[in-house]
Amino acid sequence: MLLIGGLFGRLVGCLAVMVVGVHTTPFWAWLDPGAFALIGAASFFGGVSRLTMSLAVILMEMTNDIQFLLPIMVTIMVSKWVGDLLTHSFYHALLEVKCIPFLDSEPFITHNGDPVSLELFKAADAMCSPVQCVKEKESVSRLASLLMSCEHSGFPVVNEEQQLIGSITRRTLAVVLEYLHDHNKDMVHYEDFLAHDPSYRQKIILEKLSGSGAEDVTIDLEQYINQSAVSVPTSFSLHRTYVLFRTLGLRHLVVTDERNVVVGILSRKDLMGHALEDKLVQVLGEVVGSEGVLGGIKEERRAAEL
């Protein structure tokens, strides 16, 4: 990026010299193709990456001339403002190309071209339901079948009344089942989890454990449960749910009713802008007619904070 920007900058500098001509007076000392190349490199790199202070330090280290500090800072800020006005950064675009669910600092949802405030929606409006749950004591065949039938990264753990008591990750279940198959024991120590990853034989092991003969074998998952799993009620504000999810860096968030029974779950993909718009499209029609949620996002958030 520095090379491309430097080439464009030097091209502009050479064109300026061709138009104005070569002058030896101090007034025309700024008309230097090398200086134009430096400014071009700063503008291109700043517009693509949206770096500010670090890029200015890098270019100052390259030039070792304090006279270029002010032009470099002005160029970087202008290129960043123009880039933010037009689109997001190059690295943000790479996240979209690789389909990585990246959540912005604030959710931005539109309906018919108008912004919509998520404060007027509930977590139940965006959750996925029904949820694949596991119990404290679960049969081996059921766990193996569950891992083979879905690609979820985690599962809520419930008691006999379907009330939430924690969560467990897919990797934990896979390691426990593999140890049970290889060593005929379901006790896996913490050091073993750190040193062991589910191997390439995982699919074969799950197929064997999901077959006949494993229905009567149960595993006590109590020692592997994350009892500090975060959950929100169904009536929880969707905007606050988004902020909570992003701030804590969660991978999934369980939604429960007033009796702490699991009724849904939220993942990063569920809180992406396009996914929220698809899920809220039916609710939007009713709320727009009765509540009038379009516009006034800042006023709605101020009222909610007060």
Side-chain angles (χ1 to χ4, degrees), residues 40 58 73 104 119 165 192 197 203 221 229 241 260 279 306:
I58 292 173
M73 293 177 62
D104 293 322
E119 285 286 358
I165 60 176
D192 298 328
D197 283 324
K203 184 177 180 180
L221 301 175
T241 301
N260 200 34
K279 290 186 177 181
L306 294 176

Side-chain angles (χ1 to χ4, degrees), residues 172-230:
T172 300
L173 292 176
V175 173
V176 170
L177 291 178
E178 190 166 323
Y179 261 77
L180 179 65
H181 178 270
D182 294 340
H183 308 287
N184 196 22
K185 64 176 183 178
D186 58 356
M187 174 65 71
V188 184
H189 299 285
Y190 180 72
E191 295 77 10
D192 298 328
F193 276 110
L194 296 179
H196 185 82
D197 283 324
S199 64
Y200 64 93
R201 300 183 298 113
Q202 179 182 353
K203 184 177 180 180
I204 301 176
I205 293 175
L206 293 179
E207 289 178 351
K208 291 182 179 179
L209 295 178
S210 61
S212 59
E215 294 85 355
D216 299 332
V217 181
T218 60
I219 297 181
D220 188 359
L221 301 175
E222 182 179 1
Q223 55 187 336
Y224 308 116
I225 297 175
N226 175 22
Q227 298 181 356
S228 301
V230 182

Side-chain angles (χ1 to χ4, degrees), residues 67-111:
Q67 294 181 353
F68 287 106
L69 178 59
L70 183 58
I72 288 175
M73 293 177 62
V74 173
T75 302
I76 292 175
M77 293 308 300
V78 172
S79 63
K80 184 182 185 303
W81 289 338
V82 174
D84 291 339
L85 183 63
L86 298 178
T87 181
H88 45 68
S89 67
F90 173 73
Y91 301 108
H92 194 159
L94 289 180
L95 293 177
E96 295 181 351
V97 171
K98 295 183 178 181
C99 299
I100 298 176
F102 176 77
L103 299 180
D104 293 322
S105 57
E106 287 290 335
F108 184 74
I109 308 300
T110 60
H111 180 66

Side-chain angles (χ1 to χ4, degrees), residues 126-139:
M127 69 181 185
C128 289
S129 182
V131 187
Q132 296 284 358
C133 301
V134 297
K135 298 180 180 179
E136 287 184 276
K137 295 182 179 180
E138 196 68 80
S139 65

